[in-house]
Amino acid sequence: MCRWLAYSGSPILLDTVLYRPEHSLINQSLHARLGVETTNGDGFGLGWYSADGDGTPAVFRDIGPAWNNRNLLELSAHVRSRLFFAHVRASTGTAIQQTNCHPFRHGRWMWMHNGSITDFHRLRRDLCMAVDPALFPAIEGSTDSEVMFYLAVTYGLDQDVPGSVARMAGLVERLGKEHGVPNPLQMTVAVADGERVWAFRYSSERKSRSLFYSSRAETVRQLHPEVDFLRGVSEATRLIVSEPLGYLPGVWNELPEGSYAAIPSGAEDFLPFVPEYV
């Protein structure tokens, strides 16, 4: 499958979390510990929002492995952002090409995914037919992940993020049942609008891929005052990751099966997620 991270909080250089941690995402691209595959070398992508931008994210994607890309190393050491995505890909069968690399972008929205739609080739036509005809020309690649994104946009991502993702998941499950595909959906998904990040962990078989969120910044500062990075970040700063970036006690919490999180968060760190059948 894939590995990804989403960051929201105080502006930082991208390499602070991409390269510097003990088990960084770049390390995971070659040595993942919790993924289906150890190596995630079928492309990578970055997406970030800038303080002086127009509200739409910048995206940088390439088809080679992240671990030896000099442009990625250079870029991440000079770009600062308060909200960004990073993704390293292990293809589940679709082509290795830039348009299939995550994150995907539509207007102010970004989306990335780890997982798959089982037997996507059997469900693809019906799924694509459910995408708003006005949105369909924007689909550039051939992945299930991008179709999932445009289904969520079709189902009202602008108005209700959890609801739109629930309706997308419900459609996949309904079509899977109609086509005789058992357990059709496996997903950890992150979506952002430039102000907030939502992350979802769900699978039809209730055995979802790994996903973790960081504890609140003040809690981590109290536990680990020796970590320099934490001294200047805001209380709202959080990370959501496929695998922990290190092994400091009390920092990482597993997002429960069938739930979603939003950062900045309210009183609750996560809420239940249930597909909505359409």
Side-chain angles (χ1 to χ4, degrees):
M1 298 288 174
C2 309
R3 305 281 83 184
W4 59 254
L5 70 80
Y7 172 91
S8 176
S10 298
I12 61 169
L13 290 171
L14 274 56
D15 73 343
T16 305
V17 294
L18 289 183
Y19 284 90
R20 299 182 195 178
E22 173 188 357
H23 188 48
S24 69
L25 190 69
I26 303 305
N27 177 271
Q28 292 174 37
S29 69
L30 192 56
H31 301 294
R33 297 171 183 172
L34 300 180
V36 175
E37 296 87 3
T38 301
T39 303
N40 298 273
D42 296 331
F44 67 86
L46 288 177
W48 68 94
Y49 297 88
S50 59
D52 55 354
D54 63 357
T56 62
V59 174
F60 170 56
R61 301 181 292 183
D62 203 352
I63 61 173
W67 65 77
N68 67 356
N69 191 285
R70 294 180 65 185
N71 290 329
L72 176 62
L73 179 63
E74 180 75 14
L75 182 74
S76 65
H78 292 84
V79 171
R80 188 179 298 272
S81 176
R82 62 178 178 80
L83 198 166
F84 59 88
F85 283 3
H87 186 282
V88 291
R89 184 174 184 241
S91 172
T92 55
T94 50
I96 300 171
Q97 60 193 45
Q98 283 193 17
T99 54
N100 283 346
C101 293
H102 309 221
F104 303 101
R105 172 182 61 190
H106 179 74
R108 64 191 174 102
W109 294 98
M110 277 201 304
W111 173 283
M112 60 184 175
H113 168 231
N114 173 36
S116 64
I117 295 176
T118 305
D119 288 346
F120 178 56
H121 63 284
R122 294 172 58 187
L123 307 184
R124 182 179 179 182
R125 181 181 182 277
D126 287 348
L127 290 169
C128 287
M129 290 295 288
V131 174
D132 185 329
L135 295 171
F136 189 80
I139 299 176
E140 296 184 317
S142 57
T143 64
D144 50 0
S145 305
E146 190 177 18
V147 172
M148 290 165 65
F149 178 29
Y150 280 96
L151 284 168
V153 177
T154 297
Y155 289 138
L157 192 65
D158 270 322
Q159 292 79 40
D160 176 11
V161 173
S164 67
V165 177
R167 289 185 283 276
M168 175 276 294
L171 176 67
V172 174
E173 296 215 319
R174 178 174 66 79
L175 290 176
K177 183 176 181 180
E178 291 175 2
H179 286 266
V181 177
N183 300 320
L185 184 58
Q186 174 71 244
M187 70 174 204
T188 65
V189 162
V191 59
D193 65 355
E195 298 296 329
R196 205 173 189 194
V197 177
W198 294 260
F200 301 83
R201 185 178 185 221
Y202 176 81
S203 65
S204 305
E205 59 181 334
R206 309 301 190 266
K207 295 179 181 179
S208 299
R209 304 295 181 245
S210 59
L211 196 63
F212 297 81
Y213 63 94
S214 63
S215 297
R216 296 176 187 271
E218 183 56 35
T219 301
V220 181
R221 271 194 291 266
Q222 292 175 4
L223 289 170
H224 302 284
E226 75 282 3
V227 180
D228 291 340
F229 158 66
L230 293 169
R231 292 174 187 165
V233 301
S234 69
E235 178 59 19
T237 297
R238 308 293 284 272
L239 278 147
I240 302 177
V241 298
S242 294
E243 297 188 15
L245 305 184
Y247 298 95
L248 293 173
V251 174
W252 300 105
N253 313 278
E254 187 171 20
L255 192 69
E257 176 70 42
S259 66
Y260 76 93
I263 54 175
S265 62
E268 301 291 338
D269 278 332
F270 58 85
L271 293 166
F273 176 79
V274 179
E276 180 180 331
Y277 291 89
V278 293

